[in-house]
Amino acid sequence: MSIPFKNAIFQGSMALIILFFIYSLFKHKDYSILIENLRKVRYLSIGFFLIVFSMILSNLVNPENLSEKSWHTTFMFVIRYGLIFVCLAYFYKKKYFEEKFVKILVYSSLTYLALLGLYELILNPSILNGIGIHGTLNNRNSFGLHMGMGVVLSAILFTYNKKVAVILFSIFTFLMIFSFSRSSWVASFASIFVLMVFNYREIKMNHILYIFGFIGLLLAVYFSSDSLQMRFSQLLEGYSSHRTTIWLHTIEFIKLNPIIGYGIDSWASLPNTYLNKFPDPHNMVLEILLYTGLIGFFFCFFTIFIILKEIVKSKNCLYLSVSIYFLVITQFDFGAFFTKEILSFLTIFVFLIYSKKFKEE
């Protein structure tokens, strides 16, 4: 629930979960639950361990390229995502909460953030013709990330509660569109397209009416906003906001050190004044290759493959569509090591994928 807060409350809630986990573990001495959980996700655990190994190896080999936060980021990667996953699995196995409760909190956190976006819009309606809605995240792409996730999850909700789904889908879509985050537009479209393809047999006439009605509303919104028309035309024209140039420069550096990479958070130390103007490569694949080389890329690919294999094995196309959202949006924004929001949601998402395994005897 605290993920959209990003910093203070998020850090505090994370610390409390871990402290409660340590307290519970030592009080009840149920280490067997911990071991059994890890055994059930052994390939996922191996993949995560290898990713961390590649991060440490790259840092050790490239001390001259590291920033002040390189080792801190590596350490917190283990704590924020690896250990929190272990905590969730442990408490879930002990029946402290149910899967439904986690899903409700995910929807609640995204809805909370959407309400903040609407509040910002009420205070300053002119943002629809300017920089776009940011909410409390101070970045339209971060806000778009969450709203796009809300779009996808509310589309999934149609299977369970159509009335609530229509309301949430409309709100999230409106806010995502006017975040002017094109990466979330593309990612949510790709995700919903996959969802519809795998559920085409479930599509009925009322769904088709919803779709046409929604398209009509989108067209009305589109033709009423010059800023939206401009952003959409930039998308169609392939205007990348300098991303293409960033990628080309980044690839040149990757070629110089392809095996190990340059170390975590080495971006600012790269001898390239053009790249130093930007915060990151704006591409998950290039970030992995730049920081951890082919070794890290192989381990990350192995872990993603393991997760996708589990989704296919469970025949859960709903989870597949969410995976598509994450995979697409990280090709244009956000990375594999730093973005707290997307990595925290991924931790919860992966937990939900494997949750049934933790209940198996």
Side-chain angles (χ1 to χ4, degrees), residues 235-251:
L235 176 63
L236 295 180
E237 293 166 3
Y239 176 68
S240 65
S241 298
H242 307 291
R243 282 172 176 75
T244 305
T245 309
I246 294 171
W247 297 338
L248 291 174
H249 280 254
T250 304
I251 289 170

PDB file of all heavy atoms in Angstrom, residues 235-251:
ATOM      1  N   LEU A 235       4.377  10.323 -31.125  1.00  0.00           N
ATOM      2  CA  LEU A 235       4.474   8.864 -31.002  1.00  0.00           C
ATOM      3  C   LEU A 235       4.422   8.206 -32.368  1.00  0.00           C
ATOM      4  O   LEU A 235       5.238   7.327 -32.683  1.00  0.00           O
ATOM      5  CB  LEU A 235       3.330   8.355 -30.112  1.00  0.00           C
ATOM      6  CG  LEU A 235       3.225   6.829 -29.949  1.00  0.00           C
ATOM      7  CD1 LEU A 235       4.459   6.281 -29.261  1.00  0.00           C
ATOM      8  CD2 LEU A 235       1.964   6.473 -29.159  1.00  0.00           C
ATOM      9  N   LEU A 236       3.477   8.629 -33.200  1.00  0.00           N
ATOM     10  CA  LEU A 236       3.337   8.047 -34.536  1.00  0.00           C
ATOM     11  C   LEU A 236       4.536   8.363 -35.428  1.00  0.00           C
ATOM     12  O   LEU A 236       4.918   7.547 -36.272  1.00  0.00           O
ATOM     13  CB  LEU A 236       2.056   8.565 -35.201  1.00  0.00           C
ATOM     14  CG  LEU A 236       0.728   8.157 -34.548  1.00  0.00           C
ATOM     15  CD1 LEU A 236      -0.444   8.746 -35.312  1.00  0.00           C
ATOM     16  CD2 LEU A 236       0.600   6.638 -34.466  1.00  0.00           C
ATOM     17  N   GLU A 237       5.121   9.528 -35.232  1.00  0.00           N
ATOM     18  CA  GLU A 237       6.271   9.934 -36.046  1.00  0.00           C
ATOM     19  C   GLU A 237       7.582   9.318 -35.558  1.00  0.00           C
ATOM     20  O   GLU A 237       8.622   9.469 -36.213  1.00  0.00           O
ATOM     21  CB  GLU A 237       6.396  11.458 -36.036  1.00  0.00           C
ATOM     22  CG  GLU A 237       5.254  12.165 -36.756  1.00  0.00           C
ATOM     23  CD  GLU A 237       5.203  13.650 -36.453  1.00  0.00           C
ATOM     24  OE1 GLU A 237       6.109  14.138 -35.713  1.00  0.00           O
ATOM     25  OE2 GLU A 237       4.270  14.325 -36.924  1.00  0.00           O
ATOM     26  N   GLY A 238       7.525   8.630 -34.419  1.00  0.00           N
ATOM     27  CA  GLY A 238       8.724   7.983 -33.894  1.00  0.00           C
ATOM     28  C   GLY A 238       9.655   8.912 -33.148  1.00  0.00           C
ATOM     29  O   GLY A 238      10.836   8.590 -32.945  1.00  0.00           O
ATOM     30  N   TYR A 239       9.149  10.076 -32.726  1.00  0.00           N
ATOM     31  CA  TYR A 239       9.972  11.000 -31.952  1.00  0.00           C
ATOM     32  C   TYR A 239      10.243  10.377 -30.586  1.00  0.00           C
ATOM     33  O   TYR A 239       9.323  10.108 -29.820  1.00  0.00           O
ATOM     34  CB  TYR A 239       9.270  12.342 -31.802  1.00  0.00           C
ATOM     35  CG  TYR A 239      10.025  13.323 -30.934  1.00  0.00           C
ATOM     36  CD1 TYR A 239      11.239  13.864 -31.356  1.00  0.00           C
ATOM     37  CD2 TYR A 239       9.527  13.690 -29.689  1.00  0.00           C
ATOM     38  CE1 TYR A 239      11.937  14.752 -30.555  1.00  0.00           C
ATOM     39  CE2 TYR A 239      10.217  14.579 -28.890  1.00  0.00           C
ATOM     40  CZ  TYR A 239      11.423  15.114 -29.329  1.00  0.00           C
ATOM     41  OH  TYR A 239      12.110  15.984 -28.519  1.00  0.00           O
ATOM     42  N   SER A 240      11.491  10.164 -30.256  1.00  0.00           N
ATOM     43  CA  SER A 240      11.854   9.385 -29.074  1.00  0.00           C
ATOM     44  C   SER A 240      12.318  10.221 -27.884  1.00  0.00           C
ATOM     45  O   SER A 240      12.781   9.660 -26.897  1.00  0.00           O
ATOM     46  CB  SER A 240      12.962   8.396 -29.428  1.00  0.00           C
ATOM     47  OG  SER A 240      14.154   9.094 -29.776  1.00  0.00           O
ATOM     48  N   SER A 241      12.220  11.550 -27.990  1.00  0.00           N
ATOM     49  CA  SER A 241      12.712  12.424 -26.908  1.00  0.00           C
ATOM     50  C   SER A 241      14.169  12.098 -26.578  1.00  0.00           C
ATOM     51  O   SER A 241      14.540  11.902 -25.424  1.00  0.00           O
ATOM     52  CB  SER A 241      11.839  12.289 -25.654  1.00  0.00           C
ATOM     53  OG  SER A 241      10.520  12.697 -25.905  1.00  0.00           O
ATOM     54  N   HIS A 242      14.977  11.996 -27.614  1.00  0.00           N
ATOM     55  CA  HIS A 242      16.433  11.751 -27.530  1.00  0.00           C
ATOM     56  C   HIS A 242      16.791  10.306 -27.156  1.00  0.00           C
ATOM     57  O   HIS A 242      17.984   9.983 -27.042  1.00  0.00           O
ATOM     58  CB  HIS A 242      17.105  12.696 -26.527  1.00  0.00           C
ATOM     59  CG  HIS A 242      16.807  14.145 -26.762  1.00  0.00           C
ATOM     60  ND1 HIS A 242      17.290  14.826 -27.858  1.00  0.00           N
ATOM     61  CD2 HIS A 242      16.052  15.032 -26.055  1.00  0.00           C
ATOM     62  CE1 HIS A 242      16.867  16.085 -27.806  1.00  0.00           C
ATOM     63  NE2 HIS A 242      16.107  16.231 -26.736  1.00  0.00           N
ATOM     64  N   ARG A 243      15.793   9.438 -26.953  1.00  0.00           N
ATOM     65  CA  ARG A 243      16.108   8.081 -26.529  1.00  0.00           C
ATOM     66  C   ARG A 243      16.959   7.334 -27.564  1.00  0.00           C
ATOM     67  O   ARG A 243      17.889   6.602 -27.197  1.00  0.00           O
ATOM     68  CB  ARG A 243      14.816   7.306 -26.247  1.00  0.00           C
ATOM     69  CG  ARG A 243      14.187   7.644 -24.905  1.00  0.00           C
ATOM     70  CD  ARG A 243      12.816   7.003 -24.781  1.00  0.00           C
ATOM     71  NE  ARG A 243      12.215   7.215 -23.475  1.00  0.00           N
ATOM     72  CZ  ARG A 243      11.682   8.358 -23.062  1.00  0.00           C
ATOM     73  NH1 ARG A 243      11.698   9.409 -23.869  1.00  0.00           N
ATOM     74  NH2 ARG A 243      11.145   8.467 -21.859  1.00  0.00           N
ATOM     75  N   THR A 244      16.631   7.491 -28.824  1.00  0.00           N
ATOM     76  CA  THR A 244      17.385   6.781 -29.866  1.00  0.00           C
ATOM     77  C   THR A 244      18.862   7.134 -29.816  1.00  0.00           C
ATOM     78  O   THR A 244      19.733   6.252 -29.891  1.00  0.00           O
ATOM     79  CB  THR A 244      16.824   7.122 -31.266  1.00  0.00           C
ATOM     80  OG1 THR A 244      15.422   6.842 -31.298  1.00  0.00           O
ATOM     81  CG2 THR A 244      17.513   6.294 -32.330  1.00  0.00           C
ATOM     82  N   THR A 245      19.151   8.419 -29.646  1.00  0.00           N
ATOM     83  CA  THR A 245      20.555   8.865 -29.559  1.00  0.00           C
ATOM     84  C   THR A 245      21.208   8.330 -28.292  1.00  0.00           C
ATOM     85  O   THR A 245      22.366   7.900 -28.308  1.00  0.00           O
ATOM     86  CB  THR A 245      20.630  10.402 -29.578  1.00  0.00           C
ATOM     87  OG1 THR A 245      19.884  10.897 -30.685  1.00  0.00           O
ATOM     88  CG2 THR A 245      22.068  10.861 -29.706  1.00  0.00           C
ATOM     89  N   ILE A 246      20.461   8.356 -27.190  1.00  0.00           N
ATOM     90  CA  ILE A 246      20.987   7.808 -25.923  1.00  0.00           C
ATOM     91  C   ILE A 246      21.334   6.340 -26.094  1.00  0.00           C
ATOM     92  O   ILE A 246      22.404   5.874 -25.654  1.00  0.00           O
ATOM     93  CB  ILE A 246      19.948   7.980 -24.788  1.00  0.00           C
ATOM     94  CG1 ILE A 246      19.726   9.456 -24.476  1.00  0.00           C
ATOM     95  CG2 ILE A 246      20.397   7.233 -23.529  1.00  0.00           C
ATOM     96  CD1 ILE A 246      18.560   9.710 -23.532  1.00  0.00           C
ATOM     97  N   TRP A 247      20.453   5.589 -26.733  1.00  0.00           N
ATOM     98  CA  TRP A 247      20.690   4.157 -26.926  1.00  0.00           C
ATOM     99  C   TRP A 247      21.937   3.908 -27.783  1.00  0.00           C
ATOM    100  O   TRP A 247      22.739   3.021 -27.469  1.00  0.00           O
ATOM    101  CB  TRP A 247      19.470   3.505 -27.575  1.00  0.00           C
ATOM    102  CG  TRP A 247      18.231   3.573 -26.722  1.00  0.00           C
ATOM    103  CD1 TRP A 247      18.173   3.745 -25.369  1.00  0.00           C
ATOM    104  CD2 TRP A 247      16.869   3.475 -27.161  1.00  0.00           C
ATOM    105  NE1 TRP A 247      16.869   3.769 -24.930  1.00  0.00           N
ATOM    106  CE2 TRP A 247      16.046   3.609 -25.999  1.00  0.00           C
ATOM    107  CE3 TRP A 247      16.261   3.288 -28.394  1.00  0.00           C
ATOM    108  CZ2 TRP A 247      14.648   3.558 -26.068  1.00  0.00           C
ATOM    109  CZ3 TRP A 247      14.875   3.233 -28.470  1.00  0.00           C
ATOM    110  CH2 TRP A 247      14.074   3.364 -27.323  1.00  0.00           C
ATOM    111  N   LEU A 248      22.092   4.682 -28.829  1.00  0.00           N
ATOM    112  CA  LEU A 248      23.250   4.506 -29.715  1.00  0.00           C
ATOM    113  C   LEU A 248      24.548   4.788 -28.968  1.00  0.00           C
ATOM    114  O   LEU A 248      25.538   4.047 -29.105  1.00  0.00           O
ATOM    115  CB  LEU A 248      23.126   5.421 -30.937  1.00  0.00           C
ATOM    116  CG  LEU A 248      22.009   5.068 -31.931  1.00  0.00           C
ATOM    117  CD1 LEU A 248      21.893   6.127 -33.006  1.00  0.00           C
ATOM    118  CD2 LEU A 248      22.269   3.697 -32.567  1.00  0.00           C
ATOM    119  N   HIS A 249      24.587   5.860 -28.180  1.00  0.00           N
ATOM    120  CA  HIS A 249      25.775   6.174 -27.375  1.00  0.00           C
ATOM    121  C   HIS A 249      26.046   5.077 -26.352  1.00  0.00           C
ATOM    122  O   HIS A 249      27.205   4.694 -26.122  1.00  0.00           O
ATOM    123  CB  HIS A 249      25.580   7.517 -26.654  1.00  0.00           C
ATOM    124  CG  HIS A 249      25.829   8.709 -27.528  1.00  0.00           C
ATOM    125  ND1 HIS A 249      26.964   9.493 -27.419  1.00  0.00           N
ATOM    126  CD2 HIS A 249      25.105   9.256 -28.524  1.00  0.00           C
ATOM    127  CE1 HIS A 249      26.907  10.475 -28.305  1.00  0.00           C
ATOM    128  NE2 HIS A 249      25.785  10.343 -28.989  1.00  0.00           N
ATOM    129  N   THR A 250      24.970   4.587 -25.729  1.00  0.00           N
ATOM    130  CA  THR A 250      25.116   3.540 -24.704  1.00  0.00           C
ATOM    131  C   THR A 250      25.662   2.257 -25.309  1.00  0.00           C
ATOM    132  O   THR A 250      26.529   1.593 -24.712  1.00  0.00           O
ATOM    133  CB  THR A 250      23.750   3.261 -24.038  1.00  0.00           C
ATOM    134  OG1 THR A 250      23.216   4.472 -23.497  1.00  0.00           O
ATOM    135  CG2 THR A 250      23.905   2.237 -22.920  1.00  0.00           C
ATOM    136  N   ILE A 251      25.176   1.898 -26.483  1.00  0.00           N
ATOM    137  CA  ILE A 251      25.642   0.683 -27.166  1.00  0.00           C
ATOM    138  C   ILE A 251      27.137   0.752 -27.451  1.00  0.00           C
ATOM    139  O   ILE A 251      27.860  -0.256 -27.327  1.00  0.00           O
ATOM    140  CB  ILE A 251      24.841   0.457 -28.468  1.00  0.00           C
ATOM    141  CG1 ILE A 251      23.405   0.042 -28.134  1.00  0.00           C
ATOM    142  CG2 ILE A 251      25.500  -0.612 -29.346  1.00  0.00           C
ATOM    143  CD1 ILE A 251      22.471   0.019 -29.325  1.00  0.00           C
TER     144      ILE A 251
END
